[in-house]
Amino acid sequence: MSGTEKTKAHAEQAKGKAKEAMGRMASNERMTAEGHADQAKGNARQAEEDSKDTFRH
């Protein structure tokens, strides 16, 4: 996994976790859902890069 893509994936996951937590604290279902979606994007980006690494080796 390239360093920049790995960083982007982790940043997106952290952003999603924070947004989801804030949504739960504020009882804002939309913000909670957006946070969950951001985490999913980060997980997908990480999985994509992991699969690229697997084929490179």
Side-chain angles (χ1 to χ4, degrees):
M1 179 184 284
S2 72
T4 57
E5 291 300 316
K6 184 176 183 180
T7 302
K8 286 180 186 178
H10 285 288
E12 204 155 30
Q13 290 168 342
K15 175 184 153 190
K17 285 180 185 181
K19 190 183 264 188
E20 185 176 5
M22 292 299 290
R24 285 187 179 162
M25 284 180 17
S27 297
N28 185 332
E29 290 182 22
R30 180 178 175 193
M31 187 182 287
T32 302
E34 287 175 0
H36 189 72
D38 287 343
Q39 286 182 60
K41 286 180 197 175
N43 291 339
R45 184 186 302 253
Q46 187 171 1
E48 177 184 357
E49 291 301 316
D50 287 345
S51 67
K52 286 180 186 177
D53 284 346
T54 299
F55 288 112
R56 287 182 192 152
H57 294 256

